[in-house]
Amino acid sequence: MHDRYEFKAIEAKWQQRWDRDKTFKVTHQPGRAKYYVLEMFPYPSGKIHMGHVRNYSIGDVVARYKRMRGFNVMHPMGWDAFGLPAENAAMKRGIHPASWTYDNIAYMRTQLKAMGLSYDWDRELATCSPEYYRWEQLLLLRMLERGLIYRKQTTVNWCDDCQTVLAREQVIDGLCWRCDQPVLPKTMHGWFFRITDYAEELLADLDKLGGWPEKVVTMQRNWIGKSTGLACDFKVEGSDLTIPIFTTRPDTIHGVTFMSLAVEHPLLQTLTAGTGQARAVEEFIQQTLIEKQRASLDEEQDKRGVFTGRHCINPFNGERVPIYAANFVLMEYGTGAVMAVPAHDQRDFEFARAYSLPVRIVVQPEGEFLNPAVMAEASTVPGILINSGPFNGMDSLAAQQAIIEHAEQQGFGRAHVTYRLRDWGISRQRYWGTPIPVVHCDHCGIVPVPEQQLPVLLPGAGEPKGSHSPLHQQEEFIATTCPSCGQAARRETDTLDTFVESSWYFARYTSPDLTTAPLDREAARYWLPVDQYIGGVEHAILHLLYSRFFTKMLRDLGYLDVDEPFTNLLTQGMVIKDGAKMSKSKGNVVDPNDLIEQYGADTVRLFSLFAAPPERDLEWNAQGVEGASRFLNRVYRMVYQNLDCFRSDRPIDAESLNETSRQLYRKTHQTIRRVTESIESNFHFNTAISGVMELVNLTTSSVGEAENVDPAVLRQTLETVLTLLFPMVPHFCEELWQESGHPAQLNGAVWPQFNPEAAREDEITIVVQVNGKVRSKLVVAADADDQTLQRLAMADEKIARLLETKEPKKIIVVQKKLVNIVL
RNA sequence: GCGAGAGUGGCGGAAUUGGUAGACGCACUGGAUUUAGGAUCCAGCGGGCCUCGCUCGUGGGGGUUCGAGUCCCCCCUCUCGCACCA
C-alpha cells in the first residue's frame, strides 16, 4: 500500500483491459431492455477541451450506471468531421483537409480513451469517410424523388470570410456563427430542404418532448413561429394587380388607412411606373437597403416610408387607401405587404403619426374611450368592434373568425397559417463536405446520379497534398456525362452543410458498418429513439431541430419507425473560469491533458461531476480538483486499511449489531437510496457524490471508535462505496474491487440493493418550537405518536422554562418532524 | 420590448408535501505529527451580542400561515434566447 494511489498504472491497466476485451461492445438483443445514451459527437478540431470532458463524463456515468442496472446499453462515439476549420488549417499547412482531420481524430481518440470512457468503439464513425457520406448521398436521392429537396434562386446569407452561404439558423446577430464576420445578402442558386413541410409536425410534437428542458422546447416553438390569421387580396386601383397581405388581426381590417410594402417587394417597380413617384420610391429603396446592411441590429430604426402614387381598395369596405413603401416591413415574413391599422398596431401608429395619415378606431376596449386625435400609442387589447359595418358590436375575438368566413364567402380572402421557419438552405460553396449527387445537363436539366454510381467522391481525397480548392474550380471533377442522355454534362459543385451529417448520425450508429443501406431498420427499431442525449444548449435550434426534421423525413421514407429522435435531453452548462467561458481568445483554458497527467482521469471526472449539477455552468477551480483527489486517496487508504473484512463471507446479523455497526449499516443503506434517487431523478451527481462522502466520513470515524465495527457490516459498506462510485471513477473502483478479492469486474456487477429495513431509523430527532422558533430538540422513538410527542415536548426542561405559567393556545404536531407550541 | 431561467456564507453548492437554512467540498483559523516543508489526522468556521444562551439572516418590500429559501403580489439585478413576425 502506498500513501496515494498510483493512478497512472491503474488507469492504464484498466483501459488496456477494456480495449482488449471490448468490454463495452453491444449487440442488439431483441427482448432485452435497451438504453441508448449519446453525447453530441465532437468536431475533430485538434484536442479535447474541458467542455468535452464534462459532456463525456456525464454521459459515461449514465452509461455505466444503466449497465449496472441491467440495461443493454449502447454508448457510441464518432466524429463530426466535415467543415471549414479543416480546410483552413489544411491551407495554412499545405496539407489535405483529410489528413488534418484524421490526424486529429487519432489523437483525440487516445485522449478519450485516456479518460476511461465506456464507448463501443466498434461503432465509431467519421462523417467525412465515404462509407458514411455515400449513404447520405443515397438518402438525398430518395429525398429528391419525394420532392423534399429543391433548387432555387434566392437571396442568401453570404459570409465573405468563409466564402460560403449560411443557413438562417447559422446567422447570429447578423454575424457568421463560425467566424463572427458580417453576413451579406447575395443572390444565387442553392439547394433547400423542405423543412417547412414539417413545420406543423415539428411544432405539434414538441408536446411529446417532456424529457427536454422547457427552455429548448420554447426556443424551438418560437423559431418555428406559427401564426394564424387571414390572407387577403387588395386590388390596386386602376389596374389588374392585387396585393396579397397576411394579418393576425382580421378583426381590425376596417381600420386600414394605408398599405405598406417592403422595399424588396416585387410589385413596387410596376406600381410606381408612370406615377411621378417612381424616382422618389427608387431613391428610398436604395437608401433603405444600404441602411439595412449598416444598421446595428439592436437599434430599431425610425419608421419611414414614401408614397408610391397608387392606391388600393380594401375589399371589406371598398375604401381606397394609399400604398407606401416602408422601411419596417420585412419581405421575409408573410407576403412582404402589410395592411396598416394605426389605431391597433404600434408600428403602423408611429408611421401614421410621422406622415399624418388617419387613425381610425375599430376596436373599442371595454371601459375605455379611445380618441384618435389624442391617443399616444396603439391599442392592442380586445374590445367591441365599431366603424366596422356589419360587424359593429361584435366582440373582437369572435369577429376574427366571422371576418375570415366573410372573406372566404366573398372570395377575396381565406384563413391562413404562416410560419417563421424557412426552408433549410444546405448548399455550401466549399470543398470539405459531402458532394451533392446530381449532374447538370443542358438537355435533361438536373439529373440525379444513379444509385449504383454512389458515392460521388471528393476529388483528390486520397492524395496527401491533393487539391482541395472548392469543387467549382476543379474541372476534372465537374466534367462528366449525363446519366440520362449520355452527353457531356457538369457535376453539381455545391457541398452539403455539415449539419446534414449530424442530423442522422445517431441513427447510423445502430448499424454503422452496414454496406447495403444507410440503416438497418431492425437495428434502428431496437435502439431508437436515443434514451438520453447530452450536449450543449448552443445546439438548441440548429442541430436539434434539424435532427428532429430528419427523423420525421426518414420515417416517411421508410427507414425509421420513430417520430422523435431524442426522448430525453440534458443540456449541460458551460465550463467557466474566472467568470468567463473557457476560450483560447480569453486565455483562460485549462488543458485536460495536463490535469489527467497530474491527477489522473478519475479525479478529473470526479471533480467535473461534483462541482455543479450538470445543467448549470461549472466554475473551474484548481483547488477543487485537489479536493477530489484527496477524497479518492482517503477511500483508497480506508479500503486498504480494512482489507481484513473481505476475508469472510459471513452475512450481516442485523439483530446483534452494536450501536456503531448498526449506525454504519443504516447509513450505508440510506446512502444507496440517496445516490440512486439523485441519479434517477435528474442526474444530480454532485449530491450523489456528497452522499458517498458522508458515508465515507462516517466509516472512517466508526473504524476509529472504541466499539468494534462488525466486519460483515464494514465489508458491505466498503463494497457499497466502491459500487456507488464506480460509474464516476471506474478505474479506481475496479482496481480496489479486484484488490479486495472480488473475482468478477464491477462493470458487470449489479447496483447495490437498497434494504428499507436496514435504513430505518429507530430514534429520530424532533424539533420543539415555541411560536415557530426552535427552542429545543427531543430524541424519541421513530414511531412515537402525537400524544407522546406533545407530552415529551411540554415536559422538556427548556420548554417548561419558557412556558412558565402560560397556557398554549395551540399545539401543532408533525409526525417525525416537530412540535410547535403557540402561545 | 417579448420569452425562459436564476439570485442562499469568503467560494462551488445542499435543503420531500411549506417543518432544524447552510449538507458535502473548497478556502481560512487553531492544534497534533514532522528537523522542516508536504501529506495526513483532530477541532473550529453566516453576521451581531451580554457567547450554557439570545438575536438577525436565503436580492428588496409587502402578504398568506402555528411555521416561508420554498406559496401569493409588487420591485431590483444578472444570464440566456428571440427581436420592426403584421
Side-chain angles (χ1 to χ4, degrees):
Chain A
M1 175 188 166
H2 299 79
D3 203 34
R4 302 174 75 87
Y5 83 99
E6 293 190 90
F7 59 82
K8 266 189 193 146
I10 292 172
E11 290 179 359
K13 166 184 164 184
W14 288 101
Q15 282 162 18
Q16 279 160 22
R17 193 165 298 187
W18 293 331
D19 235 16
R20 184 193 71 202
D21 299 345
K22 292 187 184 294
T23 308
F24 311 112
K25 185 176 170 65
V26 278
T27 53
H28 95 261
Q29 300 173 30
R32 188 172 163 213
K34 66 92 182 180
Y35 193 89
Y36 183 178
V37 54
L38 182 66
E39 301 105 57
M40 292 179 184
F41 65 166
Y43 181 78
S45 56
K47 53 185 186 177
I48 62 168
H49 52 67
M50 289 312 303
H52 292 126
V53 168
R54 189 177 192 202
N55 192 180
Y56 304 146
S57 294
I58 293 167
D60 201 49
V61 179
V62 176
R64 288 181 184 269
Y65 170 75
K66 289 291 176 181
R67 277 189 209 106
M68 293 174 93
R69 300 306 300 243
F71 287 94
N72 190 24
V73 173
M74 176 152 84
H75 189 211
M77 175 47 72
W79 311 94
D80 186 14
F82 270 139
L84 210 45
E87 240 176 290
N88 294 339
M91 257 185 277
K92 205 164 126 191
R93 285 154 233 240
I95 53 171
H96 195 276
S99 78
W100 184 82
T101 302
Y102 282 110
D103 284 353
N104 286 347
I105 288 175
Y107 181 67
M108 290 170 75
R109 190 190 296 116
T110 64
Q111 287 191 298
L112 294 184
K113 288 193 175 182
M115 284 184 60
L117 303 168
S118 63
Y119 294 123
D120 177 357
W121 286 104
D122 284 357
R123 290 177 188 266
E124 180 182 1
L125 57 81
T127 58
C128 65
S129 70
E131 293 75 36
Y132 185 83
Y133 70 71
R134 69 169 298 176
W135 298 118
E136 190 162 294
Q137 291 176 334
L138 182 83
L139 293 175
L140 242 58
L141 295 182
R142 296 281 173 272
M143 293 168 191
L144 265 170
E145 285 165 18
R146 292 280 189 110
L148 290 164
I149 303 182
Y150 64 97
R151 193 173 138 92
K152 69 173 176 187
Q153 185 176 40
T154 49
T155 306
V156 293
N157 304 300
W158 176 262
C159 175
D160 215 41
D161 212 54
C162 299
Q163 283 287 304
T164 192
V165 170
L166 300 172
R168 201 162 63 131
E169 288 83 351
Q170 293 165 340
V171 180
I172 316 290
D173 292 339
L175 305 177
C176 172
W177 70 297
R178 191 146 255 176
C179 68
D180 280 341
Q181 295 304 305
V183 170
L184 306 168
K186 184 168 180 174
T187 303
M188 59 194 302
H189 283 283
W191 291 91
F192 290 83
F193 273 129
R194 240 178 249 288
I195 191 171
T196 51
D197 278 10
Y198 286 84
E200 189 56 44
E201 195 190 343
L202 286 168
L203 182 69
D205 283 358
L206 287 173
D207 293 339
K208 295 182 184 169
L209 301 179
W212 283 38
E214 188 58 38
K215 174 183 172 152
V216 176
V217 171
T218 306
M219 280 168 70
Q220 291 213 357
R221 183 171 290 124
N222 293 342
W223 188 262
I224 296 168
K226 179 181 182 177
S227 302
T228 57
L230 168 72
C232 181
D233 301 321
F234 279 55
K235 283 203 164 69
V236 177
E237 187 188 50
S239 102
D240 297 335
L241 299 170
T242 57
I243 300 174
I245 59 100
F246 171 74
T247 179
T248 55
R249 291 291 307 273
D251 51 317
T252 65
I253 200 157
H254 294 84
V256 173
T257 57
F258 61 101
M259 167 75 70
S260 29
L261 305 186
V263 291
E264 300 92 341
H265 200 284
L267 280 181
L268 269 181
Q269 311 270 338
T270 326
L271 281 173
T272 54
T275 59
Q277 285 293 92
R279 181 181 294 176
V281 171
E282 188 53 34
E283 276 171 14
F284 178 74
I285 291 173
Q286 292 312 322
Q287 190 192 341
T288 307
L289 288 175
I290 292 165
E291 273 171 18
K292 273 192 175 179
Q293 257 186 48
R294 225 185 3 219
S296 84
L297 287 116
D298 37 302
E299 69 184 79
E300 215 163 273
Q301 297 275 312
D302 284 342
K303 306 288 177 287
R304 280 182 294 104
V306 61
F307 179 48
T308 59
R310 302 293 289 258
H311 292 77
C312 61
I313 307 297
N314 183 340
F316 277 83
N317 54 14
E319 278 184 18
R320 66 194 286 269
V321 293
I323 305 171
Y324 280 75
N327 67 342
F328 64 94
V329 179
L330 303 174
M331 192 61 221
E332 313 86 73
Y333 185 79
T335 62
V338 178
M339 62 168 220
V341 185
H344 304 293
D345 181 282
Q346 184 58 25
R347 293 152 302 179
D348 298 344
F349 182 82
E350 287 168 27
F351 192 88
R353 284 292 193 246
Y355 294 93
S356 304
L357 291 158
V359 175
R360 184 196 300 151
I361 311 292
V362 289
V363 177
Q364 195 65 256
E366 214 167 323
E368 244 183 284
F369 181 76
L370 297 174
N371 179 354
V374 298
M375 63 198 284
E377 58 177 19
S379 159
T380 54
V381 295
I384 302 300
L385 261 57
I386 59 170
N387 297 327
S388 297
F391 303 96
N392 280 341
M394 280 185 90
D395 174 78
S396 62
L397 294 174
Q400 298 198 345
Q401 194 50 42
I403 283 177
I404 290 172
E405 278 166 20
H406 177 77
E408 282 174 345
Q409 280 157 20
Q410 299 296 312
F412 53 71
R414 61 226 72 92
H416 186 72
V417 178
T418 189
Y419 300 90
R420 214 187 78 108
L421 184 70
R422 291 285 92 102
D423 276 341
W424 172 15
I426 49 172
S427 282
R428 296 294 179 270
Q429 290 68 35
R430 300 302 307 227
Y431 170 80
W432 193 231
T434 302
I436 297 174
V438 302
V439 166
H440 297 270
C441 172
D442 287 340
H443 310 280
C444 312
I446 291 174
V447 183
V449 172
E451 204 176 312
Q452 56 277 13
Q453 288 178 23
L454 295 183
V456 175
L457 289 170
L458 277 174
E463 309 154 26
K465 289 195 174 190
S467 166
H468 56 266
S469 43
L471 298 180
H472 63 266
Q473 294 170 12
Q474 299 205 37
E475 273 310 318
E476 282 165 41
F477 173 80
I478 296 172
T480 186
T481 52
C482 171
S484 176
C485 70
Q487 302 191 54
R490 288 157 291 114
R491 281 194 192 282
E492 170 63 58
T493 56
D494 284 351
T495 51
L496 288 176
D497 182 0
T498 56
F499 278 92
V500 179
E501 282 85 66
S502 54
S503 293
W504 69 288
Y505 78 108
F506 51 89
R508 180 68 185 175
Y509 276 139
T510 65
S511 48
D513 299 321
L514 192 64
T515 55
T516 52
L519 297 168
D520 174 350
R521 193 164 177 175
E522 278 306 310
R525 187 176 302 161
Y526 176 74
W527 288 114
L528 292 177
V530 173
D531 294 278
Q532 184 65 54
Y533 198 34
I534 307 165
V537 74
E538 66 271 20
H539 294 103
I541 293 176
L542 288 163
H543 164 58
L544 291 169
L545 187 66
Y546 293 153
S547 296
R548 295 183 60 225
F549 163 57
F550 248 72
T551 300
K552 293 173 191 303
M553 199 158 57
L554 292 175
R555 174 202 62 197
D556 292 346
L557 291 170
Y559 288 104
L560 296 179
D561 298 280
V562 292
D563 297 325
E564 286 289 336
F566 314 120
T567 308
N568 295 292
L569 173 69
L570 175 65
T571 50
Q572 104 258 7
M574 292 183 299
V575 181
I576 304 283
K577 190 161 175 288
D578 311 321
K581 182 182 176 164
M582 275 192 191
S583 72
K584 261 188 227 154
S585 57
K586 297 212 180 66
N588 60 350
V589 287
V590 174
D591 189 342
N593 268 8
D594 300 345
L595 287 166
I596 291 173
E597 184 67 19
Q598 193 181 349
Y599 297 100
D602 282 327
T603 296
V604 177
R605 292 168 58 127
L606 186 69
F607 174 73
S608 76
L609 295 162
F610 178 62
E615 69 278 4
R616 271 212 231 181
D617 285 349
L618 183 154
E619 171 77 34
W620 194 262
N621 177 340
Q623 284 156 333
V625 185
E626 286 283 353
S629 166
R630 208 153 25 198
F631 170 69
L632 290 183
N633 281 308
R634 213 157 74 232
V635 176
Y636 168 82
R637 285 191 299 273
M638 183 181 80
V639 171
Y640 267 90
Q641 281 159 5
N642 296 288
L643 279 179
D644 282 354
C645 75
F646 292 100
R647 295 228 179 94
S648 156
D649 272 338
R650 185 174 58 77
I652 294 168
D653 177 11
E655 298 307 310
S656 68
L657 297 178
N658 61 33
E659 188 48 34
T660 307
S661 305
R662 168 70 197 148
Q663 245 182 50
L664 187 60
Y665 182 46
R666 186 187 298 129
K667 183 75 174 178
T668 299
H669 282 272
Q670 289 174 343
T671 305
I672 295 172
R673 176 176 55 197
R674 179 167 162 193
V675 170
T676 308
E677 280 172 4
S678 288
I679 297 178
E680 288 286 343
S681 65
N682 47 16
F683 299 131
H684 277 196
F685 309 117
N686 56 331
T687 53
I689 293 167
S690 75
V692 179
M693 284 173 168
E694 282 184 43
L695 178 59
V696 169
N697 291 347
L698 183 68
T699 310
T700 328
S701 63
S702 298
V703 169
E705 292 282 324
E707 221 173 38
N708 281 338
V709 176
D710 181 88
V713 168
L714 186 57
R715 176 191 173 117
Q716 189 182 75
T717 300
L718 297 181
E719 285 177 342
T720 300
V721 167
L722 293 178
T723 325
L724 295 180
L725 284 178
F726 175 70
M728 311 182 224
V729 287
H731 320 84
F732 176 86
C733 292
E734 200 68 274
E735 179 70 13
L736 290 184
W737 190 251
Q738 189 187 53
E739 286 295 293
S740 55
H742 299 83
Q745 287 185 24
L746 262 177
N747 190 59
V750 291
W751 193 248
Q753 189 71 38
F754 169 64
N755 177 352
E757 185 53 32
R760 212 192 70 238
E761 297 277 3
D762 306 322
E763 286 186 327
I764 52 175
T765 303
I766 294 286
V767 170
V768 185
Q769 299 179 330
V770 176
N771 289 336
K773 286 183 177 161
V774 180
R775 297 298 175 183
S776 184
K777 289 169 192 177
L778 302 170
V779 176
V780 301
D783 55 0
D785 61 17
D786 288 12
Q787 283 80 9
T788 316
L789 288 176
Q790 184 169 331
R791 186 169 48 75
L792 289 170
M794 297 297 285
D796 184 83
E797 199 185 317
K798 288 177 197 159
I799 300 300
R801 217 186 309 147
L802 274 161
L803 291 185
E804 293 170 354
T805 56
K806 285 174 235 159
E807 260 315 294
K809 278 194 202 129
K810 194 164 157 191
I811 298 178
I812 287 126
V813 180
V814 182
Q815 279 278 314
K816 295 181 197 273
K817 283 245 156 49
L818 58 74
V819 178
N820 188 11
I821 301 164
V822 186
L823 292 179

